Amino acid sequence: MASNYFNFEDKEYDFPLYKEDNVITRKTGIILILSLIIFIFLIIGPVKFHNIQEQFILFFVMFIPFLYVTKGRIATLFRMPKLQDLKVILYCTFGNFALLFLVTFVVTLINYLVPIGTFTGADTTTVGYGLDILSLIANFFQIISEELVRITVFLLILHVIYKYTENRKKSVIVAAIISLLLFGLLHINIGRGLIYAIVCIGLCSYFTLHAYLKTKNATLSVLVHLLYNVITIMLLTML
């Protein structure tokens, strides 16, 4: 059984739902897929709400279907972090920065040697976050909704691939890649291009997903995402 796990994974827990055909049924699968479609439409579609309203709506669009599918078992994804999880949170947060720096450096070097007109620069998508209490709360709930999207996609793809291959490692790799790519595509509307969205926001956020892949605790992914945004805002404020 342990051979089906990657070395970096905590063996105490496994991913939920992907082996449970009685949980991810045709009905619940459709419900989760519809919640994802609605989320995507709200992000990149023509219908727009006030920023704070949209953040809360996005949260409920993902959270209510999750509660329904899991019959209210919040612990399916979210558990209280332990003290030793702080090391994982810090490692994954700065892993995201290191990965983004490496990719930006490589692309800048390629542009210098063979100009191809692709993206340069760091991720600035967190600029403009409000600093009043309501805005901070709304931002936090949006982070939860984004991690629900990332992990829901991961679990759905994991379920499908594993069902037909029964190869856990291969299923995890494929599901993780698709999850990161979709997460990047959700940010295509920030105006920096498709490649930037997929690479800098999608693939370069790997370590946020890694926190979940390692511990199977989405709370850590939320905290990594939150800490990354806070540090980014602080750095950009000082520039």
Side-chain angles (χ1 to χ4, degrees):
M1 179 67 176
S3 62
N4 291 327
Y5 284 71
F6 292 96
N7 290 334
F8 66 83
E9 290 185 75
D10 296 340
K11 309 302 188 296
E12 182 180 357
Y13 296 96
D14 194 8
F15 302 111
L17 309 181
Y18 77 101
K19 292 181 179 180
E20 303 175 32
D21 288 328
N22 61 325
V23 177
I24 300 186
T25 62
R26 176 172 298 193
K27 179 181 178 181
T28 57
I30 290 174
I31 289 173
L32 291 176
I33 291 171
L34 282 176
S35 69
L36 290 169
I37 292 173
I38 294 171
F39 186 96
I40 294 170
F41 179 78
L42 289 173
I43 290 290
I44 64 177
V47 178
K48 295 299 178 185
F49 297 89
H50 184 273
N51 191 41
I52 292 178
Q53 293 174 337
E54 182 176 87
Q55 289 170 320
F56 282 114
I57 290 171
L58 291 173
F59 169 76
F60 287 115
V61 162
M62 292 306 302
F63 191 67
I64 292 175
F66 160 73
L67 287 179
Y68 176 80
V69 170
T70 62
K71 295 180 171 59
R73 293 178 293 162
I74 296 178
T76 300
L77 287 186
F78 299 96
R79 303 190 306 274
M80 285 294 294
K82 302 175 183 177
L83 183 60
Q84 58 264 36
D85 290 329
L86 179 60
K87 181 179 179 180
V88 176
I89 294 169
L90 294 176
Y91 168 78
C92 290
T93 300
F94 290 102
N96 278 335
F97 281 109
L99 190 56
L100 179 62
F101 176 81
L102 176 63
V103 169
T104 302
F105 174 78
V106 170
V107 172
T108 302
L109 181 62
I110 292 173
N111 271 332
Y112 177 77
L113 297 175
V114 184
I116 57 178
T118 187
F119 64 84
T120 55
D123 180 6
T124 59
T125 58
T126 56
V127 176
Y129 274 26
L131 296 179
D132 59 279
I133 296 298
L134 183 58
S135 294
L136 291 174
I137 293 173
N139 291 334
F140 179 67
F141 276 94
Q142 179 169 338
I143 287 173
I144 296 175
S145 69
E146 290 182 359
E147 291 311 310
L148 277 171
V149 168
R150 194 197 310 259
I151 294 170
T152 297
V153 171
F154 170 78
L155 292 176
L156 284 173
I157 300 299
L158 180 64
H159 172 75
V160 173
I161 302 296
Y162 184 80
K163 183 175 182 179
Y164 291 101
T165 67
E166 295 188 356
N167 185 319
R168 184 182 182 278
K169 286 186 176 180
K170 182 187 296 183
S171 302
V172 169
I173 292 172
V174 174
I177 292 173
I178 293 175
S179 174
L180 291 171
L181 290 176
L182 179 62
F183 185 79
L185 287 172
L186 286 174
H187 294 80
I188 195 172
N189 60 341
I190 66 172
R192 302 200 62 178
L194 176 63
I195 297 177
Y196 179 87
I198 290 177
V199 177
C200 277
I201 300 179
L203 299 180
C204 283
S205 67
Y206 164 75
F207 282 96
T208 305
L209 180 61
H210 178 87
Y212 177 72
L213 298 180
K214 176 177 175 56
T215 65
K216 290 68 173 187
N217 184 1
T219 305
L220 298 194
S221 290
V222 170
L223 293 175
V224 170
H225 194 153
L226 176 65
L227 184 58
Y228 178 87
N229 284 6
V230 169
I231 293 175
T232 300
I233 292 171
M234 291 174 61
L235 291 174
L236 291 172
T237 301
M238 292 186 293
L239 292 178

